[in-house]
Amino acid sequence: LGPSRGAVIATLMAAIEAPAVSSLVLLDGMIPPPFDEADTVRQLRSFAHDYGRRAPRAARVFAMPGDAVEARCKATGIDRAAAEMLVARGIEQVDGGFRWCTDARLRYASALKFGQEHLRHVLGALELPGLLIAASEGNAGRFADHPAMAWYGALEVVRVAGCHHCHMLAQADEIAARILKFWRAP
């Protein structure tokens, strides 16, 4: 089970470790956007710059957790209730206030990106049952009609109303029930 980027990672892991995975549940994510191979040199240059020359910067310190919530909402447009939950588990108290405790390298460029054919082969290798919960206003909704949906033959797609973090909000009970039903299916 993986949400968002975790869904992408879960999909890749299920493809390469197929004997160890019995099913796949993806929360508003599945694959990264297909990469245009013509941008390979630019991507590698960005990766080299980020890891070779980018100086780690100190995380911004917020006076109160609510200030971090406001900043997250302003920067991403995220639902306030979801931002409050993410902030509660993503900050730490330090001298002078609170700061994000996530790894800044998560924002660095990747060395490796997948083109459409790579993604077709990854999804085509998946034979295990899969469930994609696609939020109407989330990431998965953007590729719900992409040909990639057919590349994973054992994938069931369930569409739910809501934002990218709907599994943390009012739809959480509905989504949990749907996942449990999927796991209990013969």
Side-chain angles (χ1 to χ4, degrees):
L1 184 141
S4 191
R5 182 179 294 180
V8 174
I9 294 167
T11 300
L12 296 172
M13 290 303 298
I16 64 173
E17 296 293 339
V21 182
S22 60
S23 65
L24 193 55
V25 175
L26 309 167
L27 301 176
D28 206 45
M30 184 174 75
I31 55 172
F35 180 71
D36 182 351
E37 291 90 350
D39 289 332
T40 299
V41 172
R42 183 195 53 76
Q43 183 67 31
L44 287 170
R45 188 176 296 125
S46 295
F47 167 77
H49 169 78
D50 283 355
Y51 279 90
R53 295 180 289 188
R54 193 180 231 194
R57 63 179 182 168
R60 181 175 165 195
V61 176
F62 299 94
M64 300 296 294
D67 298 333
V69 170
E70 292 299 326
R72 183 77 184 247
C73 289
K74 184 178 179 184
T76 65
I78 189 174
D79 179 275
R80 183 172 184 78
E84 288 171 351
M85 286 184 251
L86 293 170
V87 166
R89 68 177 191 223
I91 61 172
E92 61 187 355
Q93 192 163 7
V94 296
D95 290 340
F98 300 84
R99 72 169 178 206
W100 292 108
C101 56
T102 54
D103 189 335
R105 292 175 293 183
L106 289 172
R107 295 178 182 233
Y108 289 13
S110 299
L112 177 66
K113 296 261 189 170
F114 294 108
Q116 186 156 311
E117 283 302 300
H118 296 117
L119 295 171
R120 184 176 65 78
H121 289 288
V122 167
L123 294 176
L126 297 172
E127 296 177 3
L128 64 155
L131 174 65
L132 168 63
I133 307 288
S136 61
E137 299 167 37
N139 292 338
R142 292 191 298 239
F143 63 83
D145 296 322
H146 190 277
M149 295 296 103
W151 299 338
Y152 184 173
L155 181 68
E156 176 185 351
V157 179
V158 173
R159 299 175 197 281
V160 296
C163 68
H164 180 62
H165 294 97
C166 64
H167 61 282
M168 299 168 42
L169 302 169
Q171 301 89 330
D173 289 343
E174 170 193 350
I175 291 169
R178 186 62 199 94
I179 292 169
L180 290 173
K181 180 181 175 188
F182 171 74
W183 277 335
R184 290 183 183 134

